[in-house]
Amino acid sequence: MILVLLGAPGAGKGTQAEALSAATGAAHVATGDLFRAEISAGSPLGVAAKQFIDAGQLVPDEVTINMIQARLAKPDAADRVILDGFPRNPAQATALDAAYATSGRSIRAVLLKVDREILIERLTARRVCPSCGRSYHLLNRPPQASGICDVCATPLITRSDDAAETVAARLANQLSALESVVDLYRATGRLAEVDGVGPIEEVQARLAVAAAAAGLTA
Ligand code: AP5
Ligand code: MG
Ligand code: ZN
């Protein structure tokens, strides 16, 4: 099955997908992480995507859909997948449904609900590991040693799109498309909603219940 984790920028998709993947063994596939890897590698796809990401806009569908389809064709994605950051508009959701229409695999969505003020606070205090991708928060989830990744000891950085003006652009440009995707899954009876506010472990427990109800168990 494919569990689509929906949420605004900063809702906690990456944090929760990582934990849910560890708990269930499902593959965690994140379009933002795939784009950042392409940018680090200096590939043509990365160069093309970076201008949209730094402007807080969605990368064009053709590029994004081709990239995610190539990733989902890999062996570790053959069974259970947690999708983080895709689909992000109705065209992407329709492409995902079409790709699996005859596969017998179910596609279900869970929305992490977080208010706008909290999103802004989370994004501006986030630090990330450029090597393994783990997210930290200066107050809510600090690393054990200041500025160093707990997992791989790499120095942490601030994501370029977490600058205050880019955070504002991301929220302004992307929330209505998210709403359309939420509506699409709700209208087809495939949406669960989870309160994304509160300690990370509490959100994790709520999400585990919703994911299990959707068919993703350990
Ligand atoms: P992407 O990397 O997916 O960014 P995003 O959707 O904006 O989401 P974030 O990664 O910023 O937040 P998150 O929900 O993962 O939160 P996190 O767990 O880190 O995409 C980046 C860009 O790529 C897009 O803007 C777009 O340009 C492009 N792109 C990606 N996918 C695309 C697509 N499908 N189509 C087109 N373009 C695409 O948590 C945030 C912070 O809060 C962290 O500091 C964390 O420690 C903290 N935190 C988490 N949970 C809690 C909690 N419960 N309490 C307190 N703090 C918490
Ligand atoms: Mg993320
Ligand atoms: Zn790391």
Side-chain angles (χ1 to χ4, degrees):
M1 69 99 47
I2 296 177
L3 188 84
V4 173
L5 196 50
L6 297 172
K13 300 182 297 295
T15 302
Q16 295 300 337
E18 178 192 287
L20 189 62
S21 171
T24 62
H28 172 198
V29 173
T31 37
D33 291 347
L34 295 173
F35 283 130
R36 284 183 286 277
E38 296 283 350
I39 291 169
S40 298
S43 71
L45 193 163
V47 171
K50 186 171 170 33
Q51 57 181 316
F52 295 98
I53 292 173
D54 286 348
Q57 294 170 358
L58 293 181
V59 177
D61 286 343
E62 195 191 333
V63 175
T64 305
I65 292 169
N66 286 338
M67 179 182 74
I68 196 85
Q69 286 186 337
R71 175 65 186 86
L72 291 173
K74 294 194 172 170
D76 69 319
D79 181 17
R80 296 169 310 147
V81 175
I82 302 161
L83 268 183
D84 159 5
F86 185 92
R88 258 175 145 101
N89 61 27
Q92 293 182 8
T94 304
L96 183 67
D97 280 343
Y100 289 102
T102 58
S103 71
R105 286 171 81 181
S106 64
I107 302 176
R108 302 282 294 267
V110 179
L111 171 66
L112 281 177
K113 293 192 293 182
V114 178
D115 292 337
R116 185 190 178 87
E117 312 79 74
I118 299 179
L119 297 172
I120 294 170
E121 189 281 329
R122 285 186 184 176
L123 291 171
T124 44
R126 175 166 59 185
R127 298 293 180 270
V128 296
C129 174
S131 177
C132 73
R134 181 174 243 247
S135 285
Y136 297 86
H137 184 282
L138 294 177
L139 300 175
N140 303 329
R141 194 198 210 191
Q144 283 164 12
S146 176
I148 303 290
C149 179
D150 294 349
V151 179
C152 70
T154 303
L156 302 179
I157 60 165
T158 301
R159 252 170 64 173
S160 61
D161 59 343
D162 283 346
E165 60 278 14
T166 315
V167 166
R170 287 158 69 195
L171 295 173
N173 294 334
Q174 299 185 22
L175 289 185
S176 74
L178 170 66
E179 273 312 305
S180 305
V181 175
V182 167
D183 289 346
L184 190 151
Y185 284 110
R186 184 183 287 127
T188 49
R190 295 182 290 165
L191 181 76
E193 301 187 39
V194 166
D195 180 1
V197 181
I200 290 172
E201 298 70 25
E202 285 183 16
V203 177
Q204 198 175 317
R206 286 178 215 135
L207 177 62
V209 172
L216 181 65
T217 47

